[in-house]
Amino acid sequence: MTSRLRALSAQVRELEATLRAGGGADKIARQHKQGKLTARERIALLCDTGAPFVEIGLLVAYDDYEGQAPGAGVVTGIGIVHGREVVIIANDATVKAGSWWPETIKKMLRAQEIAMRCHIPIIYLVDSAGVNLPYQGGVFPGQYGAARLFYYNSIMRRYLRVPQIAAVMGPCIAGGAYLPALSDVILMVKGTSFMGLGGPNLVKGATGQTIDGETLGGATAHTEVSGVAHYALDDDAACLAKIRELVERLPRGGAGGPPQQHDVTASTSDRHHSVAARTESAAQGHALYDLLPADHRMSYDMHTVLRAILDDGELDEFQPNLAKEMICGDGRIEGIQVAIIANQRGLIKGRPGEKPRFGGIVYAESAEKVAYFIDRCDRQGIPILFVQDVSGFMVGAEAEHEGIIRAGARFVEAMACARVPKLVLTVNHASGAGYYAMAGQGFDPDFIFSWPTGRMGVMEGEAAIQAVHGNALDAAKKAGAPVSPEVQASVDEMRADYEHQLDARYAAARGFVDAIVHPEETRQVLGVALRASLHNPGPHIGAFVLPPQPEIAR
């Protein structure tokens, strides 16, 4: 029988392949005919050969716009250039000419936040017709509209000193021109790039002047006349080679330089592991497909999952015989020291004379245990990986009298205020306030990933049905009669809605997770994320923390 994880992974892979094709073969051929590479081809040339590229937000908006916005028209992620982690934003001109949908802005802002939070360089590969005008209401206005991109540009350049390199490799129209203009270096490709607040048609309509695009805002115009751009390159390949050269010469100790902690940067081979080590990791990852049960409600041993993710399968567990429903411990991922906080499932045997506890539930004692462990990690500067399979906090008279509210608040505060990198991997349930306490998205973890089996929601569908229709269902059961057709229709609709909304693809389409990762890729993806986050010694609080500034004269 095919496992649930294997079946869902196959479905996700099929969807990913479709999305990575962008606008399709015809649009790709058109791009090539124009003498341009596609966004993904550009990224492949930019990044080190064989190095991983962790794509962020691939599934965003896949289930909207009748499927006409694959990837929301932009590719974002973390790549490796000359052994250095960088954020990449590349407009996909095969999707509506790379125009900006509302979700395009969401993806680009998330990528900028990763660069700011991690203090790593960001590279913009611009090839966009600007705002997708039918959807301008979700792009132009608002606190997190397109203007936020330029705000982040400015903060990175003036205060955070995060290197920004922009390559105009196609059109760059209207307000979008400020994206490269607010970067440190601008490159343009001769013959195929254009940068201007208005194109030739707009200029003619507004001023009556007739002018071609190359003369108005081409590579030669902006590198030899206006001085807005800094390098003019002959083609895409030359442009990407120049970007690699610019990245290589960045200082190694400043923003975007290699992390100094945990001794993970001795060499490129050490940082990204040998082929043999990756093959071993992938083999262990494939074994993970059979570790999760066929039914998400069934129990399993979280330790087996952790052993397959951690280097050499080693976890030095912290207080292993106390509050066993919460696993805390130390291990390594691709050589990097990391603390683990995970939910154990199943029925947990208590101490002599105590009742057993339900796995996946946070009790007062386990909340206190985790809070102390988080504080220890914060003091020692150890990044934390939260492995989620949580159904919530314990309820009932006994839990309330034990002070579950106080203990839960202690857990949440410790997590929220920890200054170390926080990564999240959802393997099954992510429900209720337990999801929040396990570094839910609202608490700004550095990265949040999910397996295809992840189920994110306030509660499971059956629990929601009981909460809403429990009285009617109980009354019908006592009377020995079927429920009314209206109630049954509502129950069926609620069950279907919850099952749809609890799917990891639903979460990924809305940006609730950065990416769905497959089991055999998990260690490598977490390794890239950890290395990226460790460029910033801290604090890891929010999207960015401004360095101390001179006092304003009063």
Side-chain angles (χ1 to χ4, degrees):
M1 182 179 67
T2 302
S3 73
R4 177 171 60 102
L5 179 53
R6 197 179 301 278
L8 288 171
S9 291
Q11 295 171 23
V12 171
R13 287 188 190 280
E14 183 177 358
L15 174 59
E16 289 172 338
T18 299
L19 296 174
R20 289 193 175 107
D26 291 346
K27 297 293 178 61
I28 292 172
R30 182 181 178 186
Q31 184 100 336
H32 290 162
K33 189 175 180 180
Q34 294 171 348
K36 300 194 297 183
L37 300 173
T38 66
R40 295 185 182 279
E41 290 168 343
R42 289 166 175 166
I43 291 172
L45 271 182
L46 175 62
C47 294
D48 295 350
T49 302
F53 175 70
V54 176
E55 186 162 355
I56 302 296
L58 173 59
L59 270 65
V60 166
Y62 89 88
D63 57 359
D64 206 350
Y65 309 110
E66 298 180 339
Q68 296 302 303
V74 66
V75 182
T76 57
I78 302 173
I80 313 296
V81 178
H82 284 296
R84 181 195 298 259
E85 288 78 21
V86 301
V87 172
I88 301 171
I89 297 177
N91 299 115
D92 186 352
T94 70
V95 180
K96 298 293 182 183
S99 59
W100 291 357
W101 310 72
E103 289 78 10
T104 311
I105 306 302
K106 177 186 289 188
K107 284 185 65 172
M108 293 171 70
L109 288 174
R110 174 60 183 142
Q112 287 183 316
E113 288 175 356
I114 290 172
M116 291 190 293
R117 174 186 285 270
C118 297
H119 292 188
I120 58 177
I122 183 167
I123 299 168
Y124 307 98
L125 305 181
V126 184
D127 191 352
S128 171
V131 175
N132 191 334
L133 293 178
Y135 302 98
Q136 69 82 28
V139 175
F140 179 75
Q143 183 179 6
Y144 287 90
R148 193 81 176 184
L149 296 168
F150 313 135
Y151 171 62
Y152 284 169
N153 271 139
S154 304
I155 292 293
M156 281 189 275
R157 189 158 84 162
R158 177 64 62 91
Y159 295 121
L160 299 179
R161 302 292 194 264
V162 170
Q164 299 179 86
I165 299 172
V168 181
M169 308 182 79
C172 181
I173 306 288
Y178 289 112
L179 191 74
L182 287 164
S183 298
D184 298 312
V185 181
I186 305 174
L187 305 88
M188 296 185 71
V189 179
K190 297 175 184 177
T192 58
S193 65
F194 171 85
M195 179 167 53
L197 297 183
N201 291 338
L202 182 62
V203 168
K204 184 174 182 178
T207 69
Q209 181 183 15
T210 300
I211 187 170
D212 65 89
E214 190 66 24
T215 304
L216 177 63
T220 300
H222 280 311
T223 55
E224 298 181 14
V225 181
S226 72
V228 171
H230 309 108
Y231 299 96
L233 289 309
D234 290 332
D235 54 29
D236 280 12
C239 182
L240 296 165
K242 186 65 178 180
I243 296 173
R244 286 182 55 82
E245 179 185 323
L246 293 171
V247 171
E248 185 179 26
R249 77 172 60 146
L250 288 172
R252 303 298 289 188
Q260 302 301 313
Q261 298 172 288
H262 307 283
D263 191 26
V264 298
T265 60
S267 69
T268 300
S269 60
D270 289 337
R271 283 157 59 79
H272 303 300
H273 280 226
S274 66
V275 173
R278 288 191 180 180
T279 301
E280 179 185 358
S281 175
Q284 292 173 335
H286 279 291
L288 283 165
Y289 281 103
D290 299 315
L291 295 182
L292 294 188
D295 189 319
H296 67 88
R297 296 166 295 186
M298 295 172 63
S299 62
Y300 64 96
D301 187 357
M302 177 62 83
H303 291 92
T304 61
V305 174
L306 299 179
R307 282 195 291 269
I309 293 173
L310 296 171
D311 292 355
D312 302 319
E314 293 182 357
L315 175 69
D316 182 16
E317 196 163 347
F318 180 86
Q319 292 186 312
N321 296 313
L322 181 74
K324 296 179 182 180
E325 65 276 8
M326 291 299 303
I327 300 169
C328 300
D330 296 286
R332 289 183 178 271
I333 293 177
E334 293 206 333
I336 304 170
Q337 185 69 45
V338 63
I340 304 295
I341 297 173
N343 306 103
Q344 177 63 297
R345 300 298 297 191
L347 200 61
I348 312 298
K349 184 177 180 181
R351 290 178 288 253
E354 290 184 343
K355 295 184 296 185
R357 293 178 179 176
F358 298 104
I361 301 295
V362 182
Y363 292 76
E365 184 179 56
S366 49
E368 292 286 357
K369 167 184 169 177
V370 175
Y372 185 92
F373 184 69
I374 292 173
D375 286 344
R376 187 222 68 170
C377 296
D378 186 58
R379 287 190 295 270
Q380 296 181 354
I382 301 173
I384 304 172
L385 171 63
F386 294 83
V387 183
Q388 295 178 341
D389 188 354
V390 60
S391 298
F393 281 84
M394 191 59 188
V395 297
E398 184 176 344
E400 297 294 353
H401 297 165
E402 287 178 348
I404 186 65
I405 295 175
R406 179 181 63 247
R410 169 98 170 82
F411 183 174
V412 169
E413 181 185 12
M415 175 275 301
C417 297
R419 296 161 295 177
V420 296
K422 296 182 283 287
L423 280 66
V424 176
L425 174 65
T426 304
V427 299
N428 198 25
H429 303 100
S431 303
Y435 161 70
Y436 289 169
M438 290 288 286
Q441 189 183 32
F443 291 91
D444 275 335
D446 294 63
F447 295 94
I448 180 165
F449 302 109
S450 177
W451 276 1
T453 44
R455 299 172 64 84
M456 185 186 299
V458 66
M459 62 182 69
E460 282 290 328
E462 296 306 316
I465 288 168
Q466 189 62 35
V468 175
H469 299 291
N471 290 338
L473 295 174
D474 290 344
K477 185 176 181 180
K478 288 180 181 178
V483 297
S484 70
E486 293 80 7
V487 170
Q488 187 60 54
S490 181
V491 166
D492 292 343
E493 182 180 6
M494 177 174 283
R495 182 176 288 119
D497 284 347
Y498 264 76
E499 199 60 29
H500 171 63
Q501 294 177 18
L502 287 167
D503 193 298
R505 288 165 288 190
Y506 182 91
R510 285 145 189 83
F512 299 157
V513 298
D514 287 319
I516 295 178
V517 299
H518 300 278
E520 68 273 20
E521 302 166 355
T522 303
R523 189 186 303 178
Q524 184 182 82
V525 169
L526 292 174
V528 171
L530 281 166
R531 281 190 294 273
S533 65
L534 287 170
H535 286 279
N536 177 9
H540 288 252
I541 303 290
F544 61 88
V545 177
L546 291 179
Q549 303 298 317
E551 289 189 13
I552 299 173
R554 300 185 184 280

